[in-house]
Amino acid sequence: MTVREITTDWLKTQKWRVQKPNTITIDGVLLKELTVHLDGRGDVVELWSEKWLGEGVVKPAHVYQSATDDGVVKCWHLHETHTDQFTVTRGKLQVSMVDVREGSSTFGHVNTVILGTTKPRYLKIPNGIMHGWKSLAEPETLVVNLQSHVYDPADELKFPWDTVLK
């Protein structure tokens, strides 16, 4: 089944296997702890580096920042082509991911992870992985997304929030 053939009805018939929080089991997903340089003047956090390309990081073609108000849930969606790579620069976010790739060795796995400014992390979500998030911080959470391709709305396939996990 291709990404474009996935339907809400099909998603509702699947048996999803929820994994332990902050444990990445989905093939191709990468969670990387970010380096913070802290001194008496403040701090600097490395968000992306070309030297990471050998670690599975993808070179971005499109970078943007989005804000999600506290308590807001944005899900579910997946991409046929592009890879999402993002980090939180202010606030806290709970990200949920579901492997809907039928041929994947981790098909059906559900991973959740917390990203935030107190523990900076980079998260790579490859195409074909359904994902969404919830903002856990007032007044909002800021996310910097480093996409593998220039944004194309036709590549963002959306599904109702209650399609996968209830």
Side-chain angles (χ1 to χ4, degrees):
M1 171 178 298
T2 68
V3 167
R4 296 234 174 247
E5 294 172 323
I6 293 173
T7 66
T8 300
D9 289 338
W10 179 82
L11 288 167
K12 288 182 176 183
T13 65
Q14 302 306 304
K15 302 279 190 263
W16 306 113
R17 295 182 297 282
V18 179
Q19 308 298 309
K20 181 179 171 183
N22 288 307
T23 302
I24 301 301
T25 62
I26 296 175
D27 186 39
V29 172
L30 174 65
L31 181 64
K32 178 177 178 54
E33 305 297 323
L34 297 179
T35 301
V36 179
H37 301 280
L38 177 68
D39 64 24
R41 302 167 296 160
D43 61 78
V44 172
V45 179
E46 296 178 8
L47 300 181
W48 188 91
S49 177
E50 192 169 1
K51 67 183 176 185
W52 301 348
L53 291 173
E55 301 173 22
V57 172
V58 176
K59 191 168 186 174
H62 187 82
V63 178
Y64 66 89
Q65 176 176 284
S66 68
T68 305
D69 292 337
D70 180 38
V72 170
V73 175
K74 290 185 175 181
C75 67
W76 291 100
H77 72 279
L78 72 152
H79 308 285
E80 184 174 39
T81 305
H82 89 252
T83 294
D84 276 332
Q85 304 175 110
F86 52 85
T87 187
V88 169
T89 55
R90 182 174 72 196
K92 185 164 63 169
L93 201 66
Q94 178 180 341
V95 181
S96 297
M97 301 162 281
V98 182
D99 191 346
V100 296
R101 303 168 297 177
E102 281 190 308
S104 169
S105 63
T106 57
F107 173 76
H109 283 217
V110 177
N111 292 170
T112 59
V113 64
I114 302 292
L115 305 177
T117 50
T118 57
K119 188 175 176 97
R121 295 169 151 175
Y122 153 99
L123 181 64
K124 175 184 126 185
I125 304 174
N127 60 328
I129 304 297
M130 185 170 281
H131 55 286
W133 66 52
K134 179 179 182 178
S135 174
L136 303 174
E138 292 181 357
E140 65 189 2
T141 299
L142 296 181
V143 178
V144 173
N145 195 327
L146 306 108
Q147 292 180 324
S148 63
H149 294 75
V150 173
Y151 179 72
D152 176 4
D155 186 47
E156 187 167 59
L157 307 169
K158 296 182 180 184
F159 298 89
W161 69 270
D162 61 349
T163 302
V164 178
L165 304 173
K166 298 178 173 114

